[in-house]
Amino acid sequence: MERLINLNSKKSLTNEQRQAIYQRLLQESSNGKLRKGSISDIANSYAVCTKTISRIWGRGKLHVNEESMVDVSLKKSKSVGRKKKQINLGEVKGLPFHRRSNICSIANSIGVSKSTLHRRVQEGALRTHTNAVKPDLTEANKMARLEFCFSKINRSLSNNDSTFDDMFNVVHIDEKWFYLTKSSRRYYLVPGEDEPLRTCKSKKFITKFMFLAAVARPRFDASGNEIFSGKIGIFPFTTLEPAKRSSKNRVAGTLETKPILSVTKEVTRTWLIEKVLPAIRAKWPQGHTGPIFIQQDNAKPHININDSRFLEEASRDGFDIRLCFQPPNSPDLNVLDLGFFRAIQSLQEQESLGTIDELISAVQVSFERMGSRELNNVFLTLQMCMKEILKVRGGNNYQTPHIGKGKLERQGNLPLQIDIDENLINEVGSYLGL
């Protein structure tokens, strides 16, 4: 039985193992003869067939008899088995992008099997790419983006180590819809496990809420301890309304949370004055001097930077808080759109939600769970994106750059600001006519 197990194992030996086996066989031999049971013992210890050990011993004795150097390495050629079927990468590259959206389409177009193409993807001959639609930019948009990024550069007196602004005085705000559930979700099940059943009245009208989020760049002391988390707050656009009639869940008159589905300028002004400004005054680190800018996009519900009611409230308690706009069609210039919203949503979707209040609680808890260091990394990514925007002269035809922030942080080399080459600054300055 033991021999049958060894025969079926089909374990291959490396050349180093074969050489070690031969040396052990020499130790077990006397006058060219092996001790009884040596081959079986060695075969069991390496989990191989006894014939394999016998062949190694036979080849070793043959070399000794020929007085040549003993070589018991495997004699198989380096390329064995069925030959790999090659694909013409030039033929794949010649296909239009809309024919390269899945393996089946590519395989049919170039005349190979799906399994062959799938193996080439696993080997890295072809790479997968998820393509997101980006805003269509006009020339005016590109110039506005270019001027905005150029204005964030701190020019060095020596003209050798210019960097982007540290952005400690900017609060980024934006709105986002969060849904009670998604129409399609992926789960990983064990064999035989029942598939989950999820139901709703209509997939077109899944319960959703809009939230207004506000974040600033975190601050740390010289030892790396957090001074300011940067998380100002996330505020749902909701209102409390009494129930008009009784149901099995509540009696008439019970206050219920209802979404504000139409966010107007008046609603935005109210949320800024009653929620965002008090949160900034309560959480902003002490000792800050100079104005604090609230950066918003160009959505129609956003109020003007000279709104009288906002300016009156923004100057209270010794604060100087101002509004400013980011360039049009530029979600990549807001840290919330750049990555922080996705991180919050990823955490929120890990919760099982059944009611409106559970959704609001899950979003707010996810917002608080996000670490300040992750938020700081998004600010560094924003500066890297600004650098790329300068390179492409205001466009958005660039890949989001990565500098290995996690590794740099572990090494203690994470920069506070991203450096920018002086030649690039001069080129962009000339392009802008500055």
Side-chain angles (χ1 to χ4, degrees):
M1 178 63 67
E2 188 173 313
R3 188 178 175 207
L4 287 175
I5 294 174
N6 287 335
L7 284 170
N8 291 329
S9 63
K10 296 183 179 179
K11 180 178 178 181
S12 59
L13 298 170
T14 65
N15 289 334
E16 290 77 10
Q17 288 176 322
R18 296 172 70 87
Q19 196 67 36
I21 289 173
Y22 179 67
Q23 295 299 325
R24 184 172 169 183
L25 289 168
L26 286 177
Q27 296 174 1
E28 297 282 340
S29 66
S30 176
N31 296 325
K33 294 184 179 180
L34 288 172
R35 178 182 59 81
K36 186 176 181 179
S38 299
I39 291 180
S40 298
D41 293 342
I42 297 175
N44 289 332
S45 63
Y46 282 89
V48 294
C49 177
T50 54
K51 289 185 178 180
T52 301
I53 308 300
S54 297
R55 281 195 293 269
I56 294 174
W57 176 243
R59 283 182 54 193
K61 289 197 300 180
L62 179 64
H63 283 286
V64 170
N65 294 336
E66 295 177 354
E67 297 183 354
S68 59
M69 184 176 64
V70 177
D71 180 15
V72 294
S73 60
L74 198 64
K75 292 300 182 181
K76 288 183 179 180
S77 62
K78 293 183 179 179
S79 179
V80 296
R82 189 173 63 180
K83 299 301 181 288
K84 181 192 298 185
K85 185 173 182 179
Q86 301 296 330
I87 63 173
N88 189 343
L89 296 180
E91 195 175 352
V92 176
K93 189 175 181 180
L95 295 175
F97 285 115
H98 65 270
R99 297 292 301 276
R100 289 192 258 165
S101 59
N102 56 70
I103 288 179
C104 183
S105 177
I106 301 174
N108 291 335
S109 299
I110 65 176
V112 300
S113 67
K114 292 183 292 184
S115 57
T116 297
L117 197 62
H118 180 67
R119 283 192 288 270
R120 298 299 89 79
V121 172
Q122 290 181 318
E123 293 167 1
L126 295 173
R127 66 181 180 92
T128 58
H129 166 68
T130 302
N131 190 268
V133 175
K134 296 185 178 181
D136 187 17
L137 300 175
T138 64
E139 290 302 319
N141 292 157
K142 293 179 181 179
M143 290 299 294
R145 286 161 58 87
L146 202 57
E147 292 171 354
F148 180 84
C149 296
F150 194 79
S151 67
K152 300 298 182 182
I153 298 175
N154 286 333
R155 298 294 295 270
S156 171
L157 295 177
S158 61
N159 289 332
N160 290 325
D161 52 356
S162 298
T163 62
F164 284 102
D165 186 71
D166 56 28
M167 302 181 179
F168 282 134
N169 64 335
V170 181
V171 176
H172 290 241
I173 66 169
D174 202 8
E175 298 84 18
K176 180 173 176 58
W177 289 105
F178 286 89
Y179 291 80
L180 193 64
T181 187
K182 296 195 301 184
S183 58
S184 178
R185 296 195 65 174
R186 173 176 294 179
Y187 298 96
Y188 293 91
L189 309 178
V190 300
E193 185 179 6
D194 293 335
E195 298 176 356
L197 175 65
R198 300 187 304 129
T199 60
C200 68
K201 295 293 184 181
S202 172
K203 291 192 291 185
K204 293 183 178 180
F205 302 101
I206 295 176
T207 302
K208 62 181 181 179
F209 273 82
M210 182 178 284
F211 288 76
L212 173 66
V215 296
R217 187 169 188 185
R219 302 190 188 185
F220 307 92
D221 60 18
S223 302
N225 300 314
E226 179 186 298
I227 300 175
F228 171 51
S229 70
K231 293 179 287 187
I232 305 298
I234 187 165
F235 313 100
F237 286 103
T238 59
T239 183
L240 292 176
E241 296 180 2
K244 295 181 179 179
R245 56 184 63 87
S246 297
S247 71
K248 63 179 182 180
N249 298 318
R250 76 281 182 277
V251 298
T254 302
L255 292 178
E256 291 185 306
T257 303
K258 297 289 185 180
I260 300 176
L261 299 178
S262 178
V263 178
T264 62
K265 286 184 182 292
E266 185 60 37
V267 174
T268 301
R269 181 186 296 109
T270 301
W271 255 244
L272 284 173
I273 292 175
E274 296 182 1
K275 299 181 184 298
V276 177
L277 290 181
I280 291 175
R281 287 193 287 264
K283 297 183 178 181
W284 204 259
Q286 297 180 355
H288 176 84
T289 57
I292 301 171
F293 294 93
I294 297 179
Q295 177 182 313
Q296 57 185 357
D297 60 24
N298 294 265
K300 290 183 178 180
H302 287 167
I303 62 175
N304 191 276
I305 59 176
N306 296 318
D307 186 87
S308 57
R309 284 182 55 192
F310 175 84
L311 292 177
E312 181 182 351
E313 291 293 328
S315 58
R316 287 177 47 197
D317 302 330
F319 280 83
D320 180 11
I321 305 176
R322 308 174 188 178
L323 286 172
C324 68
F325 286 103
Q326 66 194 46
N329 298 322
S330 300
D332 51 349
L333 292 176
N334 188 299
V335 295
L336 292 165
D337 283 324
L338 195 58
F340 200 64
F341 269 149
R342 287 197 297 271
I344 298 171
Q345 191 172 33
S346 177
L347 292 175
Q348 174 255 318
E349 289 176 350
Q350 295 177 19
E351 303 295 330
S352 178
L353 308 175
T355 65
I356 293 172
D357 293 322
E358 288 177 354
L359 171 61
I360 295 173
S361 176
V363 172
Q364 292 174 334
V365 169
S366 299
F367 179 82
E368 294 300 329
R369 282 177 58 191
M370 283 303 303
S372 56
R373 299 191 183 277
E374 285 80 0
L375 177 56
N376 182 66
N377 288 345
V378 183
F379 271 91
L380 284 175
T381 301
L382 172 61
Q383 294 187 15
M384 291 296 298
C385 288
M386 285 182 165
K387 189 174 181 178
E388 296 299 314
I389 291 171
L390 293 176
K391 292 179 181 179
V392 297
R393 301 298 183 264
N396 53 15
N397 53 326
Y398 66 89
Q399 297 293 326
T400 303
H402 301 281
I403 58 174
K405 294 182 285 292
K407 180 179 179 180
L408 291 175
E409 185 176 2
R410 290 191 296 270
Q411 296 173 347
N413 297 324
L414 189 68
L416 179 66
Q417 298 149 277
I418 299 299
D419 297 331
I420 181 167
D421 185 65
E422 193 66 26
N423 292 330
L424 177 60
I425 297 175
N426 293 332
E427 292 174 6
V428 175
S430 300
Y431 185 80
L432 294 173
L434 300 177

